[in-house]
C-alpha cells in the first residue's frame, strides 16, 4: 500500500467510518511486517488517491443494510457493472492520470460502491479470514517465517486484484509473475487457494487486454449451459472425476441430498403416486446417488406400514437439463435398482435449459404429488437483470408443487463489483483447510478436487462477467427475498436433530457444524457457512 495511505489511516481514530475505496481491501497491508509497500506503483497509487478523496466526502454516511435495488442497476453504467477503476474512465500517459470523467459521476460511483458493500463489515471479515489462513493457523504452531511468507502472499493477491481492477496491466503482470512463483498447488491451504485465484486473475487480465475500455470483461460467446460442469466440455472427464471425489470426500453435497430427501419424504407421506422434478440432476453424478437413497427410503417407509396411511406405489422422476446422454445413463441405473427392490419407477427427460423451460414441458398427472428439487442449480440463472431467475421461479410456481427444495452455496459471490466479489470468494474458499483435515498433504485426490472442481468455480467468479459468469452464489437471506417476491412461502425445516445425527453417523471430520437459520439448515466449516438447504411452498 502506498505510504500516503498508511499515514491517512493511521492518523484516523475511527477507521471504520471511512467508506468507499477502503472496504479494508488492503487492510492486511497495515499489519506490521516487512512487506508493507507492495502497492507503491504510480498507477495504483493515483487510482487509490482519487478514491480516498471521494470517500472523505461520504465519511458521515450512515451504514444501512437495506439498499435500494436501483443502486445496483445504476452501478452497471460503469464498465458493464464491474468495479474496475478504469470503468468509464480515460487514461493518458504512463502514470495513469484521469482525463475524461466528471467529478459528479465519480462521486456517484463511489457512493454506490460504499452503500452496496456496507463500508467494511463483510470485507473486513474476508480480510481477517485471509490473514488467519495465510498465518498458517497459529494454533497449529506454524513457524514465524512461514507466517510472514503467508502474509506476503495475501498482500500480493489483494494488490494484484486491485491492479487488475484498475486495469494497470504492467503492474498486475509483475504481481502475477511473483504470485505464480509462490502460489503452489501442493503447498499450504492458502497457497493452494491462492493458486486458483491467480488463474482467475490472469484470465481476467487477458480479457482486459483483448477488449477495449468500457466493455464487459470475459465476454466469450458460449453455447447454452446449465452449470459449471457444462463449460469447457473437453475437460468433462476430469471435472466429472473431481466432482465424484468431492461428493465422496466432502459432506457438502451429501448433506444437501440427505436433508432434501428427508423433506421430500415428509411431503410424500401418505401419498401413493409421487413425482420429483430434478433441475439439473445433481450435476450428472452417474449413479444418481440422491435418488437411490430416496428409493431405498420409500421402500422402508412402504414396508414399515402400521400407520394406517397409503404406501407409495409409484415414483416418477423427471430430469431437466441439456445432458441427455448422462441422464439416460442415470435413468437406466435407477430403473434397474428400483426394479431390484420392488418399486414401480418411471423416468423421463426434458431436454431444456432452466431459462427456456415451460410448464407444459413437465408432464404432471392429476393423482400425483409433485416436488421440485434443485441442488446447486438456481444460482446459475441469477443474472444482473433478475429476469431469468424470475421467469424460472414463475414457471415452477405455475406447476404448483407441494414443495420446492433449494440447496445452494451460502455466500455472496454475485455482487456487481469485482473487488468485493473477489474478497467474498477469498473468504468463502478458505474451506480449503478442511481438505487438509480429510486427506494427506500430497494426495492426488485432493489436488484433483481443488484444481478441477473448486478452481473452476473460483475462476468463473473472478474472471467472468455477463452471461459467462454462472457461479452467482448468494446468501440465504437474499434467497428469501427472491423467493418471497416470486410468490413462495417458506416451509420451515425441523430436521436439525436428524442433520446432526447424520454428521455423526457418517463420521464427518470434526470442525463441520449444522445450524438452523430461520427455518433453513446450514452446513458450515468452523462456523463459516458453506451450504444452505431451504424448502418453499406455493
Amino acid at each position: 500500500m502506498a505510504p500516503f495511505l498508511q499515514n491517512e489511516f493511521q492518523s484516523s481514530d475511527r477507521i471504520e467510518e471511512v467508506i468507499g475505496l477502503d472496504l479494508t481491501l488492503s487492510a492486511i497491508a497495515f499489519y506490521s511486517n516487512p512487506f508493507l509497500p507492495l502497492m507503491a506503483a504510480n498507477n495504483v497509487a493515483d487510482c487509490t488517491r482519487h478514491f480516498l478523496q471521494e470517500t472523505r466526502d461520504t465519511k458521515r454516511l450512515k451504514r444501512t443494510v437495506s439498499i435500494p435495488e436501483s443502486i445496483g442497476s445504476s452501478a452497471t453504467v460503469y464498465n458493464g457493472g464491474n468495479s474496475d477503476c478504469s470503468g468509464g474512465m480515460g487514461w493518458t500517459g504512463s502514470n495513469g492520470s484521469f482525463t475524461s470523467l466528471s467529478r459528479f459521476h465519480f462521486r456517484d460511483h463511489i457512493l454506490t460502491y460504499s452503500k452496496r458493500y456496507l463500508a467494511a463489515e463483510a470485507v473486513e471479515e474476508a480480510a481477517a479470514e485471509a490473514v488467519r489462513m495465510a498465518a498458517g493457523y497459529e494454533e497449529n504452531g506454524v513457524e514465524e517465517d512461514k507466517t510472514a511468507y503467508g502474509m506476503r502472499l495475501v498482500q500480493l493477491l489483494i494488490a494484484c486484484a486491485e491492479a487488475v481492477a484498475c486495469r494497470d496491466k504492467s503492474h498486475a503482470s509483475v504481481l502475477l509473475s511473483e504470485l505464480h512463483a509462490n502460489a503452489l498447488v501442493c503447498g499450504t491451504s492458502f497457497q493452494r487457494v491462492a493458486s486458483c485465484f491467480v488463474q482467475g486473475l490472469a484470465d481476467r487480465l487477458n480479457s482486459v487486454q483483448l477488449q477495449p475500455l468500457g466493455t464487459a470483461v470475459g465476454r466469450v460467446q458460449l453455447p447454452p449451459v446449465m452449470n459449471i460442469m457444462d463449460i469447457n466440455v473437453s475437460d468433462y472427464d476430469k471435472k466429472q472425476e473431481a466432482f465424484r471425489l468431492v461428493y465422496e470426500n466432502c459432506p457438502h453435497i451429501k448433506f444437501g441430498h440427505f436433508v432434501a430427501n428427508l423433506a421430500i419424504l415428509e411431503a410424500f407421506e401418505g401419498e401413493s403416486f409421487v413425482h420429483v422434478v430434478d433441475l439439473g440432476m445433481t450435476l450428472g453424478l452417474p449413479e444418481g446417488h440422491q435418488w437411490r437413497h430416496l428409493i431405498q427410503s420409500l421402500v422402508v417407509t412402504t414396508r414399515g406400514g402400521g400407520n394406517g396411511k397409503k404406501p407409495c406405489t409409484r415414483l416418477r422422476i423427471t430430469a431437466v437439463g441439456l445432458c441427455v446422454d448422462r441422464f439416460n445413463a442415470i435413468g437406466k441405473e435407477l430403473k434397474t435398482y428400483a426394479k431390484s427392490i420392488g418399486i414401480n419407477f418411471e423416468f423421463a427427460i426434458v431436454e431444456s435449459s432452466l431459462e427456456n423451460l415451460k410448464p407444459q414441458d413437465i408432464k404432471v398427472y392429476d393423482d400425483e404429488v409433485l416436488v421440485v428439487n434443485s441442488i446447486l442449480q438456481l444460482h446459475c440463472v441469477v443474472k444482473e437483470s433478475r429476469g431469468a431467475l424470475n421467469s424460472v421461479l414463475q414457471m415452477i410456481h405455475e406447476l404448483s408443487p407441494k414443495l420446492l427444495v433449494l440447496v445452494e452455496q451460502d455466500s455472496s459471490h454475485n455482487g456487481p463489483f469485482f473487488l468485493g466479489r473477489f474478497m467474498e470468494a477469498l473468504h468463502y474458499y478458505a474451506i480449503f483447510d478442511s481438505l487438509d483435515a480429510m486427506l494427506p498433504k500430497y494426495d492426488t485426490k485432493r489436488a484433483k478436487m481443488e484444481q478441477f472442481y473448486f478452481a473452476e468455480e473460483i475462476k468463473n467468479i473472478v474472471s467472468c462477467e455477463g452471461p459467462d459468469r454462472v457461479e452467482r452464489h448468494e446468501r440465504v437471506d437474499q434467497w428469501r427475498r427472491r423467493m418471497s417476491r416470486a410468490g413462495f412461502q417458506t416451509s420451515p425445516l425441523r430436521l436439525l436433530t436428524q442433520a446432526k445425527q447424520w454428521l455423526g453417523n457418517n463420521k464427518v471430520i470434526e470442525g463441520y457444524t449444522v445450524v438452523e437459520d430461520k427455518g433453513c439448515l446450514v452446513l458450515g466449516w468452523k462456523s463459516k457457512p458453506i451450504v444452505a438447504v431451504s424448502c418453499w411452498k406455493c
Side-chain angles (χ1 to χ4, degrees), residues 182-188 191-192 195-196 199 441 446-447 450-451:
N182 290 280
L184 307 177
V185 295
C186 293
T188 66
Q191 284 179 311
R192 303 195 312 272
S195 71
C196 299
Q199 296 174 48
K441 183 176 181 179
R446 189 181 69 179
E450 292 173 346
Q451 293 300 314

Side-chain angles (χ1 to χ4, degrees), residues 3 20 85 125 148 152 187 204 215 221 234-235 270 305 313 318 388 413 427 433 443 462 472 514:
C85 298
E125 184 182 4
R152 176 172 173 76
R204 189 179 184 91
T215 58
Q221 192 65 33
S234 61
D235 291 334
T313 58
T318 298
H413 297 154
H427 181 208
D433 67 322
D443 195 309
V462 172
R472 295 173 175 268
V514 180

Side-chain angles (χ1 to χ4, degrees), residues 130-419:
V131 171
R132 186 178 72 86
M133 291 179 62
Y137 306 104
E138 294 182 1
E139 61 267 25
N140 293 335
V142 178
E143 296 88 345
E144 185 177 349
D145 58 338
K146 290 185 178 180
T147 300
Y149 176 83
M151 291 293 295
R152 176 172 173 76
L153 189 57
V154 172
Q155 294 179 34
L156 283 170
L157 263 181
I158 297 175
C160 186
E162 290 179 331
V164 171
C166 292
R167 298 199 175 193
D168 187 345
K169 300 170 187 176
S170 60
H171 188 48
S173 297
V174 172
L175 293 171
L176 279 173
S177 296
E178 188 167 357
L179 281 166
H180 277 299
N182 290 280
L184 307 177
V185 295
C186 293
T188 66
S189 61
F190 189 71
Q191 284 179 311
R192 303 195 312 272
V193 171
S195 71
C196 299
F197 279 89
V198 169
Q199 296 174 48
L201 288 171
D203 290 346
R204 189 179 184 91
L205 186 63
N206 289 335
S207 298
V208 169
Q209 291 174 330
L210 294 174
Q211 295 174 352
L213 192 64
T215 58
V217 177
R219 297 299 302 275
V220 179
Q221 192 65 33
L222 293 175
V225 296
M226 283 280 287
N227 50 58
I228 198 69
M229 300 295 287
D230 293 331
I231 298 177
N232 194 8
V233 180
S234 61
D235 291 334
Y236 170 72
D237 291 339
K238 294 179 180 178
K239 291 194 290 185
Q240 191 66 29
E241 181 186 5
F243 183 64
R244 178 182 58 80
L245 291 171
V246 169
Y247 185 86
E248 293 173 354
N249 292 279
C250 302
H252 312 165
I253 301 171
K254 284 190 286 189
F255 172 80
H257 284 179
F258 173 75
V259 178
N261 280 356
L262 285 183
I264 291 171
L265 286 171
E266 283 192 357
F268 286 165
E269 187 175 4
E271 301 292 344
S272 300
F273 304 138
V274 297
H275 183 189
V276 178
V277 174
D278 189 2
L279 306 181
M281 192 55 86
T282 316
L283 303 178
L285 275 174
E287 297 84 2
H289 288 293
Q290 180 180 5
W291 306 126
R292 288 175 66 92
H293 292 308
L294 181 68
I295 291 170
Q296 188 177 39
S297 298
L298 285 173
V299 170
V300 173
T301 302
T302 300
R303 293 177 180 173
N307 56 7
K309 296 182 179 180
K310 296 183 293 183
C312 174
T313 58
R314 186 184 72 189
L315 170 65
R316 295 180 62 218
I317 293 180
T318 298
V320 177
L322 301 170
C323 308
V324 175
D325 291 341
R326 296 183 224 168
F327 292 165
N328 278 324
I330 294 172
K332 183 178 180 180
E333 177 75 19
L334 291 177
K335 285 179 181 178
T336 301
Y337 179 70
K339 184 177 180 180
S340 68
I341 58 178
I343 285 287
N344 182 4
F345 178 76
E346 299 176 24
F347 187 82
I349 299 172
V350 176
E351 185 178 2
S352 173
S353 66
L354 293 183
E355 296 175 57
N356 296 324
L357 188 64
K358 302 293 187 295
Q360 55 268 27
D361 295 334
I362 309 296
K363 188 175 182 180
V364 181
Y365 299 115
D366 293 335
D367 56 349
E368 66 183 13
V369 175
L370 178 68
V371 168
V372 176
N373 181 75
S374 175
I375 309 290
L376 310 182
Q377 291 294 322
L378 284 184
H379 71 266
C380 297
V381 289
V382 178
K383 309 299 184 183
E384 288 93 340
S385 65
R386 295 181 293 130
L389 179 62
N390 288 345
S391 297
V392 173
L393 293 179
Q394 288 171 11
M395 180 278 302
I396 295 174
H397 200 277
E398 287 184 38
L399 291 173
S400 299
K402 186 172 183 180
L403 198 68
L404 165 61
V405 182
L406 181 65
V407 179
E408 288 291 348
Q409 293 95 331
D410 188 17
S411 189
S412 181
H413 297 154
N414 192 38
F417 303 110
F418 164 66
L419 287 176

